[in-house]
Structures are given as structure tokens and as C-alpha cells.
Amino acid sequence: MEYANKLNSYAPAATAAEVDAEVAALKKTALEKYNNTDVYKLCYSAIDLTTLSCNDSVESVTAFAGRAVEFYKDFPHIPNVASICVYPSFVETVGVAVDGTPMRITSVTGGFPSSQTFLEVKMLETAMAVENGADEVDMVLNVGKMLKGRYDEAANEVEVLRGEVGDDVVLKVIIESGALRTPELIRAASLLSMLAGADFVKTSTGKIDVAATPEAAVVMCHAIKDYYDATGRKVGFKAAGGVRTAEDAALYYTIVREILGEEWCTTDLFRIGASSAANNILSAIEGKEVKYF
């Protein structure tokens, strides 16, 4: 399908200076209104608790997921993380560990983290992750094609993997905003992903030097708003990579709430990809240092 020409029906991206000014204002709003325990709890519940290491094993992933399951009884006053995010080969492992809980299973696919493999491989990897029990799939947009202006090819990969996951699985598209860099490319990647069927747009893999930034989040959330205004379909936002503190999480919450509205501030439409941040947010909620994970 042709997607690039559909971008013409949307307004151009804000300038970098305009984005910087909006981020500065939102940081002030975050400090004044949203750095509090209630927001921290919401942010904690929005976490896709992530382990994507070359050291992962069945044993380590089982222990990791088991610790998240224990959280239900260890901290009953705090809503638990939304999902466990792992490589496709560990989806079944997580499924065994979280069975009987409401926790969802997220799998990265699409040649994570670079997207540099055959489309057929991406399709098979995605289909196998879903067959093994993934409730959500985080695929990687082909950044190389985006940087060369091959927008239709990049978007059509999203469309194909949308078909592989089916209607019952949440599809998050990682645009790797740190590689795209400019508001124009970040906005185009976000819109193309949504037009091709993404349920979420996600900032980053966390595997390159520049991960999530408030500037990219602002551009992406405005794209989500404009897409919703044009189509009536709500698409979620996920910040991932570089989200380390409770204050970081609250800033992304602020961006989502102020641009998209309070109705987006649920785990159905707002996620944070994190590992180290979980302990830091938990510590902020408890008012003391907690090293749970």
C-alpha cells in the first residue's frame, strides 16, 4: 500500500526550537503538578519490565519474571507492572512464570534491535512469538529505509507484521527516534506507523546512544493527537531507553497528559520500557531505597 502520500494530509512537524520551548514548559508543569506518589504509582503500573541482554537464559528470565509475580503479595498497595518484555525465545518461559496473573507478555521482534534482516525472517519471528503466547509485540521500524526516504517500504513492513500478529495482539512500533533525530523524521515515522496499523508508537530500542528524549516524546504525542483527530482511533505512546528515575517517568506522564489528555494516562495507552527505573520509581513511592529487582 502507498503510505507516503498520506502524510500530505497532515500538518508539517514543529521546528526544533518550537519543540524545545514546549519541552521547557512541560518540565515546569511536571515539577509543579505531577511529581507525586499517585503519578509514580501510575507510572510503575505502566512499566514493561524489560530484560534484553545477551546474558539472558531460561533460568535468569524465570527468576526475573518470578520476582515480578511475587510483587503482587509483597506490595499489594501498589499496582504491578503491565508486562514482562523479553526476546521471542523466552516468551514461553515468561508465560509459565506469570500464569494465573493479569501480567501481560511482551516480545520484541522484527530483527530487534536493528531491523536489518529479511522480511520473511521478521514475519516468522513475529508469528512464533505470538504462537508461543505473546500478548504484545514490539517491532522495529526500518530506520535505514526511513533515512533514505523509502517511506512506503518502511510502512509496508509494519503492515505485514500487523497481519502476522492479528487483531488480538497489541503491536508497538519502535521508531528509534534517536537515529531519526529531526522532528520531521520522527513525526513522519510516527504517522506512517499508525497509518500502517500500530497500536502504540515507541521511542527507542534502548540499544543506541540516544534513546528516549522529551523532545521526541512531544513530537510523537502531537502526531498521535493529529492522527486521532483525523481518524478517531486512539494510539498509545511508549517511552523506552534512558528512563531511569521517578522524575523521568513523571515527565513522560506529563507530556502524555498535557498533549493527549487524561484519557491517555492508562496502561492501555501509556507505557514505559524500563529495567533500572522500576526500583527507582518504587523507592520514590515508598519514600526509601528499595532494591526489589
Side-chain angles (χ1 to χ4, degrees), residues 78-110:
I78 301 173
N80 206 350
V81 297
S83 81
I84 304 291
C85 179
V86 291
Y87 282 113
S89 56
F90 297 113
V91 166
E92 193 169 7
T93 300
V94 175
V96 172
V98 306
D99 187 42
T101 77
M103 195 175 301
R104 298 174 69 80
I105 307 167
T106 298
S107 175
V108 294
T109 72

PDB file of all heavy atoms in Angstrom, residues 78-110:
ATOM      1  N   ILE A  78       0.417  -1.366  45.761  1.00  0.00           N
ATOM      2  CA  ILE A  78       0.934  -0.726  44.552  1.00  0.00           C
ATOM      3  C   ILE A  78       0.548  -1.569  43.341  1.00  0.00           C
ATOM      4  O   ILE A  78       0.791  -2.781  43.332  1.00  0.00           O
ATOM      5  CB  ILE A  78       2.471  -0.579  44.611  1.00  0.00           C
ATOM      6  CG1 ILE A  78       2.887   0.259  45.819  1.00  0.00           C
ATOM      7  CG2 ILE A  78       3.010   0.051  43.330  1.00  0.00           C
ATOM      8  CD1 ILE A  78       4.388   0.324  46.042  1.00  0.00           C
ATOM      9  N   PRO A  79      -0.043  -0.967  42.308  1.00  0.00           N
ATOM     10  CA  PRO A  79      -0.375  -1.743  41.108  1.00  0.00           C
ATOM     11  C   PRO A  79       0.898  -2.242  40.431  1.00  0.00           C
ATOM     12  O   PRO A  79       1.870  -1.504  40.294  1.00  0.00           O
ATOM     13  CB  PRO A  79      -1.132  -0.746  40.223  1.00  0.00           C
ATOM     14  CG  PRO A  79      -0.741   0.609  40.723  1.00  0.00           C
ATOM     15  CD  PRO A  79      -0.454   0.451  42.181  1.00  0.00           C
ATOM     16  N   ASN A  80       0.887  -3.501  40.018  1.00  0.00           N
ATOM     17  CA  ASN A  80       2.086  -4.123  39.463  1.00  0.00           C
ATOM     18  C   ASN A  80       2.361  -3.656  38.031  1.00  0.00           C
ATOM     19  O   ASN A  80       1.507  -3.020  37.398  1.00  0.00           O
ATOM     20  CB  ASN A  80       1.932  -5.653  39.482  1.00  0.00           C
ATOM     21  CG  ASN A  80       3.259  -6.381  39.540  1.00  0.00           C
ATOM     22  OD1 ASN A  80       4.318  -5.778  39.393  1.00  0.00           O
ATOM     23  ND2 ASN A  80       3.206  -7.684  39.768  1.00  0.00           N
ATOM     24  N   VAL A  81       3.552  -3.997  37.539  1.00  0.00           N
ATOM     25  CA  VAL A  81       3.940  -3.625  36.174  1.00  0.00           C
ATOM     26  C   VAL A  81       2.962  -4.210  35.171  1.00  0.00           C
ATOM     27  O   VAL A  81       2.284  -5.212  35.435  1.00  0.00           O
ATOM     28  CB  VAL A  81       5.372  -4.088  35.856  1.00  0.00           C
ATOM     29  CG1 VAL A  81       6.371  -3.382  36.777  1.00  0.00           C
ATOM     30  CG2 VAL A  81       5.502  -5.611  35.971  1.00  0.00           C
ATOM     31  N   ALA A  82       2.927  -3.593  33.979  1.00  0.00           N
ATOM     32  CA  ALA A  82       1.968  -4.016  32.961  1.00  0.00           C
ATOM     33  C   ALA A  82       2.369  -5.326  32.298  1.00  0.00           C
ATOM     34  O   ALA A  82       1.529  -6.177  32.008  1.00  0.00           O
ATOM     35  CB  ALA A  82       1.827  -2.921  31.903  1.00  0.00           C
ATOM     36  N   SER A  83       3.679  -5.483  32.032  1.00  0.00           N
ATOM     37  CA  SER A  83       4.113  -6.679  31.314  1.00  0.00           C
ATOM     38  C   SER A  83       5.580  -6.964  31.574  1.00  0.00           C
ATOM     39  O   SER A  83       6.311  -6.131  32.117  1.00  0.00           O
ATOM     40  CB  SER A  83       3.873  -6.519  29.801  1.00  0.00           C
ATOM     41  OG  SER A  83       4.910  -5.764  29.195  1.00  0.00           O
ATOM     42  N   ILE A  84       5.993  -8.154  31.165  1.00  0.00           N
ATOM     43  CA  ILE A  84       7.393  -8.534  31.107  1.00  0.00           C
ATOM     44  C   ILE A  84       7.792  -8.546  29.637  1.00  0.00           C
ATOM     45  O   ILE A  84       7.125  -9.190  28.809  1.00  0.00           O
ATOM     46  CB  ILE A  84       7.638  -9.939  31.699  1.00  0.00           C
ATOM     47  CG1 ILE A  84       7.121 -10.028  33.127  1.00  0.00           C
ATOM     48  CG2 ILE A  84       9.119 -10.300  31.612  1.00  0.00           C
ATOM     49  CD1 ILE A  84       7.905  -9.226  34.125  1.00  0.00           C
ATOM     50  N   CYS A  85       8.885  -7.843  29.295  1.00  0.00           N
ATOM     51  CA  CYS A  85       9.320  -7.727  27.900  1.00  0.00           C
ATOM     52  C   CYS A  85      10.624  -8.498  27.715  1.00  0.00           C
ATOM     53  O   CYS A  85      11.613  -8.230  28.408  1.00  0.00           O
ATOM     54  CB  CYS A  85       9.505  -6.259  27.538  1.00  0.00           C
ATOM     55  SG  CYS A  85      10.072  -5.987  25.835  1.00  0.00           S
ATOM     56  N   VAL A  86      10.615  -9.438  26.749  1.00  0.00           N
ATOM     57  CA  VAL A  86      11.760 -10.322  26.543  1.00  0.00           C
ATOM     58  C   VAL A  86      11.956 -10.590  25.051  1.00  0.00           C
ATOM     59  O   VAL A  86      11.132 -10.219  24.217  1.00  0.00           O
ATOM     60  CB  VAL A  86      11.548 -11.673  27.262  1.00  0.00           C
ATOM     61  CG1 VAL A  86      11.585 -11.514  28.764  1.00  0.00           C
ATOM     62  CG2 VAL A  86      10.238 -12.335  26.816  1.00  0.00           C
ATOM     63  N   TYR A  87      13.068 -11.257  24.750  1.00  0.00           N
ATOM     64  CA  TYR A  87      13.289 -11.753  23.392  1.00  0.00           C
ATOM     65  C   TYR A  87      12.289 -12.864  23.074  1.00  0.00           C
ATOM     66  O   TYR A  87      11.769 -13.537  23.980  1.00  0.00           O
ATOM     67  CB  TYR A  87      14.710 -12.285  23.250  1.00  0.00           C
ATOM     68  CG  TYR A  87      15.765 -11.218  23.097  1.00  0.00           C
ATOM     69  CD1 TYR A  87      16.719 -11.012  24.089  1.00  0.00           C
ATOM     70  CD2 TYR A  87      15.819 -10.419  21.957  1.00  0.00           C
ATOM     71  CE1 TYR A  87      17.705 -10.041  23.953  1.00  0.00           C
ATOM     72  CE2 TYR A  87      16.793  -9.440  21.811  1.00  0.00           C
ATOM     73  CZ  TYR A  87      17.738  -9.260  22.806  1.00  0.00           C
ATOM     74  OH  TYR A  87      18.702  -8.297  22.665  1.00  0.00           O
ATOM     75  N   PRO A  88      12.008 -13.085  21.775  1.00  0.00           N
ATOM     76  CA  PRO A  88      10.966 -14.054  21.402  1.00  0.00           C
ATOM     77  C   PRO A  88      11.176 -15.455  21.962  1.00  0.00           C
ATOM     78  O   PRO A  88      10.202 -16.138  22.311  1.00  0.00           O
ATOM     79  CB  PRO A  88      11.043 -14.071  19.869  1.00  0.00           C
ATOM     80  CG  PRO A  88      11.640 -12.768  19.498  1.00  0.00           C
ATOM     81  CD  PRO A  88      12.579 -12.396  20.602  1.00  0.00           C
ATOM     82  N   SER A  89      12.421 -15.879  22.066  1.00  0.00           N
ATOM     83  CA  SER A  89      12.679 -17.248  22.523  1.00  0.00           C
ATOM     84  C   SER A  89      12.337 -17.470  23.990  1.00  0.00           C
ATOM     85  O   SER A  89      12.293 -18.620  24.453  1.00  0.00           O
ATOM     86  CB  SER A  89      14.151 -17.605  22.290  1.00  0.00           C
ATOM     87  OG  SER A  89      15.010 -16.671  22.927  1.00  0.00           O
ATOM     88  N   PHE A  90      12.068 -16.375  24.732  1.00  0.00           N
ATOM     89  CA  PHE A  90      11.737 -16.504  26.154  1.00  0.00           C
ATOM     90  C   PHE A  90      10.257 -16.238  26.458  1.00  0.00           C
ATOM     91  O   PHE A  90       9.870 -16.206  27.617  1.00  0.00           O
ATOM     92  CB  PHE A  90      12.600 -15.565  26.987  1.00  0.00           C
ATOM     93  CG  PHE A  90      14.067 -15.879  26.923  1.00  0.00           C
ATOM     94  CD1 PHE A  90      14.947 -15.009  26.310  1.00  0.00           C
ATOM     95  CD2 PHE A  90      14.567 -17.059  27.460  1.00  0.00           C
ATOM     96  CE1 PHE A  90      16.299 -15.298  26.238  1.00  0.00           C
ATOM     97  CE2 PHE A  90      15.919 -17.359  27.400  1.00  0.00           C
ATOM     98  CZ  PHE A  90      16.794 -16.477  26.778  1.00  0.00           C
ATOM     99  N   VAL A  91       9.444 -16.075  25.432  1.00  0.00           N
ATOM    100  CA  VAL A  91       8.023 -15.802  25.648  1.00  0.00           C
ATOM    101  C   VAL A  91       7.365 -16.939  26.415  1.00  0.00           C
ATOM    102  O   VAL A  91       6.625 -16.729  27.387  1.00  0.00           O
ATOM    103  CB  VAL A  91       7.306 -15.572  24.296  1.00  0.00           C
ATOM    104  CG1 VAL A  91       5.779 -15.644  24.473  1.00  0.00           C
ATOM    105  CG2 VAL A  91       7.697 -14.223  23.714  1.00  0.00           C
ATOM    106  N   GLU A  92       7.630 -18.161  25.997  1.00  0.00           N
ATOM    107  CA  GLU A  92       7.017 -19.312  26.664  1.00  0.00           C
ATOM    108  C   GLU A  92       7.510 -19.431  28.107  1.00  0.00           C
ATOM    109  O   GLU A  92       6.744 -19.777  29.011  1.00  0.00           O
ATOM    110  CB  GLU A  92       7.320 -20.588  25.889  1.00  0.00           C
ATOM    111  CG  GLU A  92       6.481 -21.769  26.320  1.00  0.00           C
ATOM    112  CD  GLU A  92       6.615 -22.953  25.372  1.00  0.00           C
ATOM    113  OE1 GLU A  92       7.462 -22.909  24.459  1.00  0.00           O
ATOM    114  OE2 GLU A  92       5.846 -23.924  25.557  1.00  0.00           O
ATOM    115  N   THR A  93       8.773 -19.110  28.335  1.00  0.00           N
ATOM    116  CA  THR A  93       9.340 -19.138  29.685  1.00  0.00           C
ATOM    117  C   THR A  93       8.597 -18.179  30.604  1.00  0.00           C
ATOM    118  O   THR A  93       8.235 -18.528  31.734  1.00  0.00           O
ATOM    119  CB  THR A  93      10.834 -18.760  29.640  1.00  0.00           C
ATOM    120  OG1 THR A  93      11.531 -19.689  28.809  1.00  0.00           O
ATOM    121  CG2 THR A  93      11.443 -18.749  31.027  1.00  0.00           C
ATOM    122  N   VAL A  94       8.362 -16.965  30.121  1.00  0.00           N
ATOM    123  CA  VAL A  94       7.624 -15.981  30.912  1.00  0.00           C
ATOM    124  C   VAL A  94       6.189 -16.440  31.130  1.00  0.00           C
ATOM    125  O   VAL A  94       5.629 -16.282  32.215  1.00  0.00           O
ATOM    126  CB  VAL A  94       7.655 -14.591  30.234  1.00  0.00           C
ATOM    127  CG1 VAL A  94       6.769 -13.602  30.998  1.00  0.00           C
ATOM    128  CG2 VAL A  94       9.075 -14.072  30.156  1.00  0.00           C
ATOM    129  N   GLY A  95       5.603 -17.024  30.091  1.00  0.00           N
ATOM    130  CA  GLY A  95       4.227 -17.490  30.203  1.00  0.00           C
ATOM    131  C   GLY A  95       4.035 -18.465  31.344  1.00  0.00           C
ATOM    132  O   GLY A  95       3.041 -18.410  32.074  1.00  0.00           O
ATOM    133  N   VAL A  96       4.981 -19.370  31.521  1.00  0.00           N
ATOM    134  CA  VAL A  96       4.913 -20.328  32.623  1.00  0.00           C
ATOM    135  C   VAL A  96       5.014 -19.604  33.963  1.00  0.00           C
ATOM    136  O   VAL A  96       4.275 -19.893  34.911  1.00  0.00           O
ATOM    137  CB  VAL A  96       6.030 -21.378  32.491  1.00  0.00           C
ATOM    138  CG1 VAL A  96       6.090 -22.264  33.739  1.00  0.00           C
ATOM    139  CG2 VAL A  96       5.826 -22.226  31.244  1.00  0.00           C
ATOM    140  N   ALA A  97       5.921 -18.625  34.032  1.00  0.00           N
ATOM    141  CA  ALA A  97       6.153 -17.923  35.297  1.00  0.00           C
ATOM    142  C   ALA A  97       4.985 -17.050  35.726  1.00  0.00           C
ATOM    143  O   ALA A  97       4.698 -16.933  36.925  1.00  0.00           O
ATOM    144  CB  ALA A  97       7.420 -17.075  35.191  1.00  0.00           C
ATOM    145  N   VAL A  98       4.300 -16.418  34.771  1.00  0.00           N
ATOM    146  CA  VAL A  98       3.242 -15.461  35.126  1.00  0.00           C
ATOM    147  C   VAL A  98       1.847 -16.059  35.014  1.00  0.00           C
ATOM    148  O   VAL A  98       0.854 -15.353  35.196  1.00  0.00           O
ATOM    149  CB  VAL A  98       3.327 -14.176  34.261  1.00  0.00           C
ATOM    150  CG1 VAL A  98       4.706 -13.561  34.341  1.00  0.00           C
ATOM    151  CG2 VAL A  98       2.943 -14.451  32.802  1.00  0.00           C
ATOM    152  N   ASP A  99       1.762 -17.334  34.724  1.00  0.00           N
ATOM    153  CA  ASP A  99       0.458 -17.987  34.571  1.00  0.00           C
ATOM    154  C   ASP A  99      -0.406 -17.767  35.809  1.00  0.00           C
ATOM    155  O   ASP A  99       0.053 -17.924  36.946  1.00  0.00           O
ATOM    156  CB  ASP A  99       0.661 -19.483  34.339  1.00  0.00           C
ATOM    157  CG  ASP A  99      -0.637 -20.188  34.003  1.00  0.00           C
ATOM    158  OD1 ASP A  99      -1.425 -19.645  33.228  1.00  0.00           O
ATOM    159  OD2 ASP A  99      -0.858 -21.297  34.535  1.00  0.00           O
ATOM    160  N   GLY A 100      -1.656 -17.396  35.579  1.00  0.00           N
ATOM    161  CA  GLY A 100      -2.585 -17.149  36.676  1.00  0.00           C
ATOM    162  C   GLY A 100      -2.586 -15.725  37.191  1.00  0.00           C
ATOM    163  O   GLY A 100      -3.327 -15.403  38.127  1.00  0.00           O
ATOM    164  N   THR A 101      -1.756 -14.861  36.609  1.00  0.00           N
ATOM    165  CA  THR A 101      -1.727 -13.442  36.981  1.00  0.00           C
ATOM    166  C   THR A 101      -2.227 -12.610  35.806  1.00  0.00           C
ATOM    167  O   THR A 101      -2.278 -13.097  34.666  1.00  0.00           O
ATOM    168  CB  THR A 101      -0.290 -12.981  37.332  1.00  0.00           C
ATOM    169  OG1 THR A 101       0.457 -12.794  36.107  1.00  0.00           O
ATOM    170  CG2 THR A 101       0.413 -13.983  38.226  1.00  0.00           C
ATOM    171  N   PRO A 102      -2.566 -11.339  36.050  1.00  0.00           N
ATOM    172  CA  PRO A 102      -3.005 -10.491  34.948  1.00  0.00           C
ATOM    173  C   PRO A 102      -1.851  -9.927  34.109  1.00  0.00           C
ATOM    174  O   PRO A 102      -2.086  -9.201  33.144  1.00  0.00           O
ATOM    175  CB  PRO A 102      -3.751  -9.348  35.652  1.00  0.00           C
ATOM    176  CG  PRO A 102      -3.370  -9.393  37.078  1.00  0.00           C
ATOM    177  CD  PRO A 102      -2.736 -10.702  37.361  1.00  0.00           C
ATOM    178  N   MET A 103      -0.623 -10.262  34.461  1.00  0.00           N
ATOM    179  CA  MET A 103       0.525  -9.686  33.777  1.00  0.00           C
ATOM    180  C   MET A 103       0.600 -10.147  32.321  1.00  0.00           C
ATOM    181  O   MET A 103       0.387 -11.320  32.014  1.00  0.00           O
ATOM    182  CB  MET A 103       1.820 -10.053  34.501  1.00  0.00           C
ATOM    183  CG  MET A 103       3.017  -9.220  34.090  1.00  0.00           C
ATOM    184  SD  MET A 103       4.445  -9.631  35.102  1.00  0.00           S
ATOM    185  CE  MET A 103       3.813  -9.266  36.740  1.00  0.00           C
ATOM    186  N   ARG A 104       0.915  -9.197  31.439  1.00  0.00           N
ATOM    187  CA  ARG A 104       0.992  -9.495  30.020  1.00  0.00           C
ATOM    188  C   ARG A 104       2.428  -9.840  29.624  1.00  0.00           C
ATOM    189  O   ARG A 104       3.378  -9.538  30.341  1.00  0.00           O
ATOM    190  CB  ARG A 104       0.466  -8.315  29.207  1.00  0.00           C
ATOM    191  CG  ARG A 104      -1.004  -8.018  29.512  1.00  0.00           C
ATOM    192  CD  ARG A 104      -1.509  -6.767  28.816  1.00  0.00           C
ATOM    193  NE  ARG A 104      -1.606  -6.939  27.378  1.00  0.00           N
ATOM    194  CZ  ARG A 104      -2.610  -7.546  26.750  1.00  0.00           C
ATOM    195  NH1 ARG A 104      -3.605  -8.066  27.447  1.00  0.00           N
ATOM    196  NH2 ARG A 104      -2.629  -7.637  25.441  1.00  0.00           N
ATOM    197  N   ILE A 105       2.561 -10.472  28.466  1.00  0.00           N
ATOM    198  CA  ILE A 105       3.867 -10.865  27.948  1.00  0.00           C
ATOM    199  C   ILE A 105       4.141 -10.072  26.679  1.00  0.00           C
ATOM    200  O   ILE A 105       3.355 -10.112  25.728  1.00  0.00           O
ATOM    201  CB  ILE A 105       3.914 -12.368  27.634  1.00  0.00           C
ATOM    202  CG1 ILE A 105       3.480 -13.198  28.846  1.00  0.00           C
ATOM    203  CG2 ILE A 105       5.317 -12.770  27.173  1.00  0.00           C
ATOM    204  CD1 ILE A 105       3.209 -14.652  28.516  1.00  0.00           C
ATOM    205  N   THR A 106       5.253  -9.341  26.682  1.00  0.00           N
ATOM    206  CA  THR A 106       5.665  -8.570  25.520  1.00  0.00           C
ATOM    207  C   THR A 106       6.913  -9.204  24.912  1.00  0.00           C
ATOM    208  O   THR A 106       7.838  -9.576  25.630  1.00  0.00           O
ATOM    209  CB  THR A 106       5.988  -7.116  25.909  1.00  0.00           C
ATOM    210  OG1 THR A 106       4.811  -6.497  26.428  1.00  0.00           O
ATOM    211  CG2 THR A 106       6.470  -6.315  24.708  1.00  0.00           C
ATOM    212  N   SER A 107       6.917  -9.310  23.588  1.00  0.00           N
ATOM    213  CA  SER A 107       8.098  -9.808  22.890  1.00  0.00           C
ATOM    214  C   SER A 107       8.585  -8.775  21.881  1.00  0.00           C
ATOM    215  O   SER A 107       7.786  -8.209  21.126  1.00  0.00           O
ATOM    216  CB  SER A 107       7.770 -11.106  22.144  1.00  0.00           C
ATOM    217  OG  SER A 107       8.882 -11.538  21.370  1.00  0.00           O
ATOM    218  N   VAL A 108       9.879  -8.525  21.873  1.00  0.00           N
ATOM    219  CA  VAL A 108      10.454  -7.745  20.775  1.00  0.00           C
ATOM    220  C   VAL A 108      10.577  -8.663  19.565  1.00  0.00           C
ATOM    221  O   VAL A 108      10.841  -9.858  19.701  1.00  0.00           O
ATOM    222  CB  VAL A 108      11.827  -7.150  21.145  1.00  0.00           C
ATOM    223  CG1 VAL A 108      11.699  -6.116  22.250  1.00  0.00           C
ATOM    224  CG2 VAL A 108      12.831  -8.223  21.535  1.00  0.00           C
ATOM    225  N   THR A 109      10.349  -8.100  18.374  1.00  0.00           N
ATOM    226  CA  THR A 109      10.508  -8.876  17.137  1.00  0.00           C
ATOM    227  C   THR A 109      10.961  -7.922  16.032  1.00  0.00           C
ATOM    228  O   THR A 109      11.288  -6.768  16.272  1.00  0.00           O
ATOM    229  CB  THR A 109       9.195  -9.559  16.696  1.00  0.00           C
ATOM    230  OG1 THR A 109       8.272  -8.575  16.207  1.00  0.00           O
ATOM    231  CG2 THR A 109       8.539 -10.359  17.796  1.00  0.00           C
ATOM    232  N   GLY A 110      10.938  -8.444  14.822  1.00  0.00           N
ATOM    233  CA  GLY A 110      11.273  -7.611  13.670  1.00  0.00           C
ATOM    234  C   GLY A 110      12.759  -7.368  13.518  1.00  0.00           C
ATOM    235  O   GLY A 110      13.187  -6.311  13.050  1.00  0.00           O
TER     236      GLY A 110
END
